[in-house]
Amino acid sequence: MITGKTKTLGILGCPVGHSLSPLMHNAAFAALTLDYIYVPLPVEPDHLGQAIAGLKAMGFVGMNVTIPHKVTVMPYLDEIHPSAQLTGAVNTIVIKNGKCIGYNTDGQGFIQSLTAKSITIKDKTAVIMGAGGAARAVVYGLLEYGIKKVIVGTRNVAKAQEFVKLFPKSRSKIEGCNWETESFIQALQECDILINCTPIGMSSNKETQLPIQWHHIKSDAAVCDLIYNPSPTDFLVQAEMRGHIIMDGKGMLVEQGALAFELWTGEKAPRKIMSETLDKFI
Ligand code: NAP
């Protein structure tokens, strides 16, 4: 029941109609009988600054941020947590004492989804395909939690080289290369965890295949895809056929949401309810 005391949260993006976050968070508030509501906040890029000021003025307690505002929202915030600073993007805002504080829960969310599948990262080698926003969050999480080496493969080597420069303190642990080179084949041979951070495999992008030569990959390597719809993607189907442990993007979606929920409410998020709610809609 919405009352005069109900605290308001939402998801800021353009568009937001496809987002499952309102369903997931409202189910979590209902499960814990917390007096919060989570609404869609469709905001055009030109109105982003006004929207942030308005949400602050209207007493919102926080929000999630999605495409295309994850980076452009940063100048409008009062403080940026290291998780967002190092990822270069914000996916969660907490509004407290009139201040907007930006966080990024994607990296830790990814790591927690690996942990839930008993995939360990300490002293392992990871190969990442793609060098966009999600790859940044994943690499931030992997470095925070003790990965030995990360190789970032892209279709465009310049993008991989730029990506590597984003992590100057971990320079010795990251390499970038074009994914059609010998260096990438060598990376696949060393790889313990292979992660698709591109949209290749989404329903809108099904015609393209990731350039993986499966025989190069160790049989005990884990294979992950950040995509959660469809699940499994063709990439994961092929990995599973070859006996690899696989993980889709749903765990990360739940975990990044759960971490945001905990930042807003201070309560432990009901992950099982959140996950079951998503299952009804994915
Ligand atoms: P992004 O910032 O647009 O980056 C996409 C990356 O994929 C770029 O490196 C891009 O390369 C590459 N790419 C795109 N299309 C390609 C193609 N046809 N061939 C080769 N490379 C291609 O996107 P993002 O935000 O990182 O998201 C990436 C994926 O992760 C999406 O599928 C998204 O849904 C998923 N995701 C899942 C979660 C979750 O919670 N599970 C969270 C965030 C994202 P160029 O730079 O060369 O274009």
Side-chain angles (χ1 to χ4, degrees), residues 67 70 106 110 129-137 153-156 159 179 196-200 202 205 207-211 225-229 248-256:
I67 291 170
K70 282 185 167 187
D106 280 337
F110 176 72
M129 305 196 71
R136 273 159 84 146
T154 58
R155 60 179 165 183
N156 175 343
K159 294 256 175 92
W179 64 31
N196 175 30
C197 295
T198 77
I200 296 173
M202 288 177 82
N205 215 328
E207 71 294 348
T208 320
Q209 294 281 316
L210 286 162
D225 201 326
L226 297 200
I227 296 170
Y228 50 84
N229 191 10
D248 70 8
K250 200 189 93 181
M252 176 176 172
L253 182 65
V254 171
E255 289 296 338
Q256 62 77 31

Side-chain angles (χ1 to χ4, degrees), residues 85-87 131 136 139 143 150 152 157-177:
Q85 198 72 266
L86 292 166
T87 330
R136 273 159 84 146
V139 170
L143 291 169
V150 179
V152 179
V157 70
K159 294 256 175 92
Q161 285 162 351
E162 282 306 307
F163 185 95
V164 164
K165 289 185 196 156
L166 297 168
F167 298 92
K169 287 192 186 145
S170 305
R171 196 58 195 87
S172 61
K173 292 185 174 179
I174 315 187
E175 286 169 25
C177 62

Side-chain angles (χ1 to χ4, degrees), residues 232-251:
T233 52
D234 288 347
F235 176 61
L236 290 187
V237 169
Q238 289 185 38
E240 195 167 37
M241 269 168 23
R242 287 166 175 84
H244 295 284
I245 300 169
I246 60 163
M247 185 182 90
D248 70 8
K250 200 189 93 181

Side-chain angles (χ1 to χ4, degrees), residues 77-190:
L77 306 181
D78 301 296
E79 285 175 30
I80 306 285
H81 185 263
S83 59
Q85 198 72 266
L86 292 166
T87 330
V90 163
N91 80 333
T92 302
I93 296 173
V94 176
I95 307 179
K96 210 172 179 180
N97 304 325
K99 279 189 173 176
C100 280
I101 309 159
Y103 295 81
N104 195 311
T105 63
D106 280 337
Q108 198 186 337
F110 176 72
I111 299 301
Q112 289 186 190
S113 67
L114 285 181
T115 308
K117 281 258 176 191
S118 305
I119 301 170
T120 58
I121 57 168
K122 188 142 175 50
D123 298 326
K124 298 280 177 70
T125 295
V127 171
I128 310 289
M129 305 196 71
R136 273 159 84 146
V138 164
V139 170
Y140 163 75
L142 291 171
L143 291 169
E144 282 285 296
Y145 288 86
I147 198 89
K148 184 176 76 182
K149 190 170 169 192
V150 179
I151 300 108
V152 179
T154 58
R155 60 179 165 183
N156 175 343
V157 70
K159 294 256 175 92
Q161 285 162 351
E162 282 306 307
F163 185 95
V164 164
K165 289 185 196 156
L166 297 168
F167 298 92
K169 287 192 186 145
S170 305
R171 196 58 195 87
S172 61
K173 292 185 174 179
I174 315 187
E175 286 169 25
C177 62
N178 177 291
W179 64 31
E180 279 170 0
T181 58
E182 272 303 311
S183 311
F184 190 70
I185 291 178
Q186 206 179 324
L188 289 180
Q189 287 165 344
E190 291 173 32

